[in-house]
């Protein structure tokens, strides 16, 4: 297996969106992905990029990615926020996720961050077991809150 971890480029966006949809299906939320390709590209590679990603390639095919951005906490300061992290199902168990996740940890360490944060679904035992290998703190007691575009427009 010829594994290469590299920073994502604009040309990776279509493949990353395919993997985002694979993740949404795994998380039982296939209809929740509404971002359009042009918006996704602009958000990562336009005049004001808000995200970066590492991709994992095996023999030239992107089989995983880790998308992240800077989150600011008034309690902790700047932290790397890992938004999405996936290795396609047929490539899991080969150590790709470990290498990709450790690349994000390295980014957090070498960047101007006071740690890194992410979310994991409470039913996702494989992911929880993976993160436990890193002695990650898994918090309880917080609920996610959001307003959709439609909800924001009503105000």
């Amino acid at each position: 297996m010829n594994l290469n971890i590299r920073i994502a480029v604009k040309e990776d966006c279509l493949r990353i969106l395919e993997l985002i949809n694979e993740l949404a299906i795994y998380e039982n939320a296939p209809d929740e992905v509404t971002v359009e390709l042009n918006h996704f590209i602009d958000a990562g590679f336009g005049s004001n990029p808000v995200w970066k990603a590492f991709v994992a390639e095996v023999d030239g095919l992107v089989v995983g990615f880790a998308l992240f951005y800077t989150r600011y906490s008034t309690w902790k300061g700047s932290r790397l926020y890992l938004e999405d992290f996936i290795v396609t199902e047929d490539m899991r168990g080969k150590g790709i996720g470990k290498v990709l996740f450790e690349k994000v940890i390295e980014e957090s360490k070498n960047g101007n961050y006071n740690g890194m944060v992410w979310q994991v679904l409470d039913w996702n035992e494989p992911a929880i077991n993976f993160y436990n290998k890193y002695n990650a703190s898994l918090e309880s007691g917080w609920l996610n809150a959001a307003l959709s575009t439609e909800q924001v427009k009503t105000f």
Side-chain angles (χ1 to χ4, degrees):
M1 178 175 68
N2 183 16
L3 175 63
N4 181 38
I5 306 293
R6 62 171 174 77
I7 195 76
V9 295
K10 184 177 180 179
E11 293 75 20
D12 294 318
C13 287
L14 181 60
R15 178 63 178 148
I16 292 171
L17 270 178
E18 290 171 356
L19 293 174
I20 289 168
N21 280 291
E22 181 178 325
L23 178 61
I25 291 167
Y26 177 78
E27 292 182 346
N28 300 313
D31 298 328
E32 295 298 317
V33 179
T34 59
V35 67
E36 294 179 3
L37 179 60
N38 288 338
H39 179 80
F40 186 69
I41 291 169
D42 187 57
F45 299 96
S47 60
N48 187 26
V50 296
W51 63 263
K52 293 181 185 177
F54 291 115
V55 294
E57 284 182 319
V58 173
D59 300 324
L61 176 66
V62 173
V63 298
F65 76 93
L67 188 144
F68 57 93
Y69 52 86
T70 300
R71 171 184 169 188
Y72 188 81
S73 165
T74 56
W75 291 8
K76 306 290 184 188
S78 295
R79 304 182 95 186
L80 184 147
Y81 187 82
L82 178 59
E83 174 66 26
D84 272 338
F85 171 50
I86 183 175
V87 172
T88 194
E89 187 174 6
D90 62 333
M91 296 302 287
R92 292 182 193 144
K94 301 177 187 297
I96 297 168
K98 179 182 186 307
V99 175
L100 187 55
F101 190 69
E102 289 177 2
K103 184 72 172 176
V104 178
I105 292 172
E106 181 183 316
E107 177 79 10
S108 178
K109 185 170 40 173
N110 295 335
N112 192 23
Y113 296 106
N114 294 326
M116 62 184 271
V117 293
W118 65 93
Q119 294 175 310
V120 60
L121 291 167
D122 61 0
W123 56 260
N124 192 342
E125 286 297 320
I128 291 168
N129 291 336
F130 177 85
Y131 297 133
N132 281 336
K133 292 177 186 174
Y134 292 89
N135 295 318
S137 300
L138 300 176
E139 299 176 11
S140 62
W142 291 88
L143 299 176
N144 294 316
L147 292 173
S148 69
T149 302
E150 292 77 24
Q151 289 169 310
V152 170
K153 287 179 181 178
T154 65
F155 291 96

